[in-house]
Amino acid sequence: QVQLVESGGGLVQAGGSLRLSCAASGRMFNMYTMGWFRQAPGKERDFIAAITSGGSTKHADSVKSRFTISRDITKNMVYLQMNSLKSDDTAVYYCAADPRGWVALTSADYLHWGQGTQVTVSS
């Protein structure tokens, strides 16, 4: 069983930066693909970024060049560095784990989820 705990959310002005962290527990964590999703009020949960156990990454077009996913397998941590934040980035951000190991782009592909962390960008 994998448990995920996000942290690092908060209130930031437009143009600012935040780094989200996801702490994972579980013996097979280093084999999982890890993803970040976000969900704004009244909207669907959208894919943001994913990283495989081998370090391959995929970022959504909406955040490419602004957000970067990374992981530290030795610490069981996944990060999302968010730069040049916009008001449209306001949402609850979720960390997720997919045991199959390849890059998955939809929320239905992910088996384990964290509780989410709120990111609010003021304009």
Side-chain angles (χ1 to χ4, degrees), residues 19-53:
R19 188 176 83 154
L20 304 184
S21 299
C22 174
S25 62
R27 296 177 61 185
M28 300 299 292
F29 164 75
N30 60 338
M31 302 298 292
Y32 283 44
T33 288
M34 301 299 297
W36 285 98
F37 288 75
R38 68 185 180 188
Q39 188 167 20
K43 296 188 177 180
E44 295 184 350
R45 191 168 296 189
D46 291 332
F47 170 80
I48 295 299
I51 185 167
T52 67
S53 60

Side-chain angles (χ1 to χ4, degrees), residues 58-77:
K58 173 70 175 178
H59 296 80
D61 289 342
S62 60
V63 304
K64 199 173 295 184
S65 80
R66 298 190 299 123
F67 292 9
T68 303
I69 189 171
S70 62
R71 71 190 295 171
D72 186 337
I73 290 177
T74 65
K75 297 181 179 179
N76 278 14
M77 296 292 295

